[in-house]
Amino acid sequence: MSLKKQINGGNSYETERLLIRPISPEDGELIFKLYNSPKFIQYIGDRNIKSIADAEEYIKSRFLPQFERLGFGNYLVMTKDGNEKIGGVGIFEREGLDIVDIRILPAGRI
């Protein structure tokens, strides 16, 4: 898979089959589902997101500031055919790491 193009010169991208755009508060339901999956909690940790409203607030307080500060962060991955939200991919600055951390969360496999 290769990125076809950046959309409108911004932080959104597309491939032949996918759209990749920054996660927004409207994606709270997906974040709620992903962050409460047993594998997420096992391997990454419980983020104490107990409702969709909690997920929306988490996006506002954790994801959006990183985009504003660094220009990258957590992205929603969706199909072009049907606009189905299928997961997320994140590029994160992590304390203690000299490089960015990349995390892929496929919604269909949790």
Side-chain angles (χ1 to χ4, degrees):
M1 176 179 78
S2 62
L3 288 178
K4 262 173 91 173
K5 66 178 179 179
Q6 197 171 3
I7 300 171
N8 298 327
N11 285 327
S12 296
Y13 304 89
E14 67 178 274
T15 70
E16 186 176 314
R17 298 179 301 173
L18 300 173
L19 296 173
I20 303 165
R21 65 158 174 80
I23 285 191
S24 69
E26 293 77 31
D27 302 314
E29 185 175 349
L30 178 71
I31 293 301
F32 174 74
K33 179 181 175 184
L34 289 173
Y35 279 44
N36 283 292
S37 72
K39 287 184 180 181
F40 185 95
I41 292 171
Q42 178 183 359
Y43 294 110
I44 298 173
D46 188 350
R47 298 295 190 247
N48 201 32
I49 296 174
K50 304 303 180 198
S51 68
I52 293 172
D54 288 346
E56 292 167 352
E57 185 56 40
Y58 191 86
I59 292 166
K60 290 176 191 174
S61 66
R62 301 290 301 268
F63 297 160
L64 299 184
Q66 181 174 317
F67 266 108
E68 291 172 11
R69 195 175 83 250
L70 301 173
F72 58 83
N74 205 342
Y75 295 84
L76 174 77
V77 179
M78 58 194 301
T79 62
K80 278 184 170 179
D81 182 26
N83 290 326
E84 178 187 359
K85 296 177 181 181
I86 60 171
V89 60
I91 305 170
F92 299 98
E93 182 180 66
R94 297 275 188 228
E95 191 173 317
L97 293 179
D98 293 332
I99 58 172
V100 295
D101 183 28
I102 298 175
R103 180 179 356 145
I104 299 171
L105 299 171
R109 298 179 190 200
I110 55 175

